[in-house]
Amino acid sequence: MKSNLKLFCSHAGSSAAGSCWRQEAKMTVHNIYIFDRNGSCLFYNEWNRKKQAGISKEEEFKLMYGMLFSIRSFVSKMSPLDMKDGFLSFQTMNRARETLQHIYSNLYVELVVKNPACSPAPSLDSELFCSRLDAFIRSLPFFSPRAA
Amino acid sequence: MVIFSVYVVNKAGGLIYQYDNYVPRSEVEKTFSYPLDLVLKHHDEKVIVSFGQRDGIKVGHAILSINGVDVMGKNTADGKDILEYLKDPANYPVSIRFGRARLSSNEKLMLASMFHSLFAIGSQLSPEVGSSGIEMLETDVFKLHCFQTLTGIKFIVLADPRQSGIDALLKKIYEIYSDFALKNPFYSLEMPIRCELFDQNLKSALEVAEKAGNFGAGS
């Protein structure tokens, strides 16, 4: 994925963190953020979100982008070696990477970039994209919410 | 496999201990003729490559030495500005050594407090109730593992992504901290740790962990 777009997906992660990201039975998809290169949030959707941040969505997007931006710079300075991809994930599972790649190449590029009616900014309003993304996330093997 | 470094951060975000266990050297020395085919720029009191990757020289690499003499920040050993020096055709051919810039102790302090706030934001933005902060942060060349004690001290270990047994190592470091730093009568809480026994025991714990955990399942 080349850097004009950042996808960030919250997977798994529970109070008993640390061990839970290894137990696939406990996986679920919480929510997804899509950011453009300037940090504005193009798209947000949530499925199984149990805790809200306690601030307005707008503030939350800024905070989330700020965190990701800082992590990228943090990681590039901290790294003992030269990196290719840089920051991948924190406290999450490996398959998230392919999932995000899929969302970018098969959904975002196909349904938003190749749609002349869809302006690149400031937010995604393609109904087709939203419904396809929703269907894709719901079809993921690890989507089903835990019996909480 | 390797463990790159260990950081201990107090509950206010201050770095109280740092140890580099293994610093891989990716340095390249090359002789250039005029004009230079790399674009260089000043950044944080260093001269770094901003464009033009070739022969192992990567964007972000800093100039470490010129004609075999180590540079002083953005100046050459005899005090001239590096960019000015390299503009002068009379100084060519010139041999320049590039590599990843080493972190200064100030930068390490800054990174430690940066992680402190990233950790807090991570837990605030979490979609799950009662989530802790970042416990593991993965990149393609290293994994950062963080363990926060109940008293708020964070132990951070940077290791190869394939290194296993880091959870146990973090607990072990906590144990060493309680035994050799906290029980030291000359140690004041929240202040940098300067205890020889702590150093020694930490080093041996790292050696044991490196030998024990290679390519294990999960880490």
Side-chain angles (χ1 to χ4, degrees):
Chain A
M1 187 189 341
K2 218 46 211 168
S3 63
N4 72 333
L5 197 71
K6 291 187 186 74
L7 288 160
F8 184 73
C9 204
S10 303
H11 277 276
S14 79
S15 50
S19 60
C20 72
W21 52 278
R22 264 177 252 136
Q23 297 164 10
E24 295 189 4
K26 285 199 165 185
M27 294 289 184
T28 180
V29 179
H30 294 293
N31 50 358
I32 185 167
Y33 303 83
I34 301 183
F35 292 103
D36 74 356
R37 70 165 85 197
N38 302 316
S40 52
C41 189
L42 298 176
F43 182 80
Y44 174 78
N45 200 3
E46 63 184 54
W47 287 272
N48 304 306
R49 186 166 179 172
K50 303 219 175 61
K51 175 181 156 250
Q52 296 296 333
I55 46 179
S56 74
K57 275 280 168 291
E58 220 158 87
E59 294 284 306
E60 185 191 319
F61 297 154
K62 279 186 203 158
L63 193 56
M64 175 60 79
Y65 186 78
M67 178 177 72
L68 297 174
F69 188 85
S70 314
I71 287 180
R72 269 168 45 117
S73 107
F74 171 78
V75 149
S76 66
K77 281 194 193 136
M78 199 79 150
S79 172
L81 289 159
D82 296 305
M83 296 189 290
K84 276 195 221 78
D85 303 324
F87 168 57
L88 301 176
S89 67
F90 63 83
Q91 192 61 79
T92 180
M93 62 177 177
N94 300 330
R95 264 181 303 173
R97 188 160 173 75
E98 285 104 73
T99 308
L100 292 175
Q101 291 274 13
H102 178 90
I103 294 172
Y104 176 66
S105 57
N106 294 351
L107 298 172
Y108 183 79
V109 171
E110 289 300 323
L111 304 173
V112 177
V113 177
K114 293 191 180 173
N115 178 0
C118 219
S119 58
S123 75
L124 296 178
D125 48 4
S126 159
E127 224 170 85
L128 185 61
F129 175 75
C130 297
S131 62
R132 287 280 187 84
L133 179 67
D134 192 58
F136 170 69
I137 299 278
R138 283 175 194 282
S139 72
L140 289 172
F142 45 83
F143 174 74
S144 60
R146 278 174 277 157
Chain B
M1 291 302 99
V2 284
I3 292 163
F4 296 117
S5 38
V6 177
Y7 291 72
V8 182
V9 179
N10 71 16
K11 62 184 169 207
L15 185 62
I16 55 173
Y17 186 80
Q18 201 277 336
Y19 174 66
D20 282 325
N21 185 46
Y22 170 72
V23 185
R25 289 265 166 267
S26 55
E27 294 180 356
V28 186
E29 180 138 23
K30 201 174 144 38
T31 307
F32 294 90
S33 53
Y34 189 82
L36 206 59
D37 46 4
L38 296 162
V39 183
L40 303 171
K41 68 172 180 195
H42 281 150
H43 181 77
D44 277 352
E45 297 294 302
K46 278 177 225 121
V47 177
I48 64 162
V49 180
S50 72
F51 182 78
Q53 301 201 132
R54 52 171 295 190
D55 308 326
I57 299 167
K58 303 257 172 65
V59 166
H61 275 187
I63 292 187
L64 300 177
S65 72
I66 293 177
N67 292 329
V69 186
D70 283 357
V71 301
M72 318 264 282
K74 55 180 184 166
N75 295 325
T76 58
D78 40 346
K80 277 179 269 176
D81 186 281
I82 291 173
L83 291 186
E84 296 298 323
Y85 178 85
L86 292 176
K87 265 182 203 158
D88 185 359
N91 293 321
Y92 285 78
V94 64
S95 151
I96 310 177
R97 193 157 53 90
F98 291 91
R100 282 192 66 82
R102 271 149 264 180
L103 290 173
S104 67
S105 24
N106 259 339
E107 280 173 314
K108 284 174 183 164
L109 285 170
M110 198 199 76
L111 290 171
S113 48
M114 198 163 159
F115 184 77
H116 184 75
S117 42
L118 290 174
F119 187 91
I121 299 174
S123 89
Q124 197 198 344
L125 290 179
S126 160
E128 278 278 357
V129 183
S131 170
S132 74
I134 299 171
E135 294 199 332
M136 194 270 291
L137 197 155
E138 183 178 15
T139 75
D140 52 348
V141 294
F142 74 95
K143 261 191 195 172
L144 180 153
H145 303 257
C146 175
F147 169 63
Q148 175 166 261
T149 69
L150 287 174
T151 48
I153 292 186
K154 288 190 217 18
F155 295 93
I156 300 166
V157 166
L158 266 66
D160 187 283
R162 290 164 295 176
Q163 175 80 36
S164 70
I166 301 283
D167 283 354
L169 173 68
L170 285 166
K171 299 265 157 59
K172 180 75 187 162
I173 298 176
Y174 185 24
E175 201 182 309
I176 294 170
Y177 168 76
S178 1
D179 280 348
F180 299 102
L182 293 185
K183 289 182 191 168
N184 183 335
F186 301 104
Y187 176 68
S188 47
L189 217 56
E190 308 289 306
M191 294 304 278
I193 303 169
R194 298 192 199 289
C195 312
E196 212 171 288
L197 277 175
F198 179 80
D199 281 346
Q200 286 168 7
N201 284 279
L202 181 74
K203 275 176 209 167
S204 52
L206 293 181
E207 270 169 35
V208 170
E210 282 188 338
K211 277 190 199 125
N214 285 7
F215 303 104
S219 50

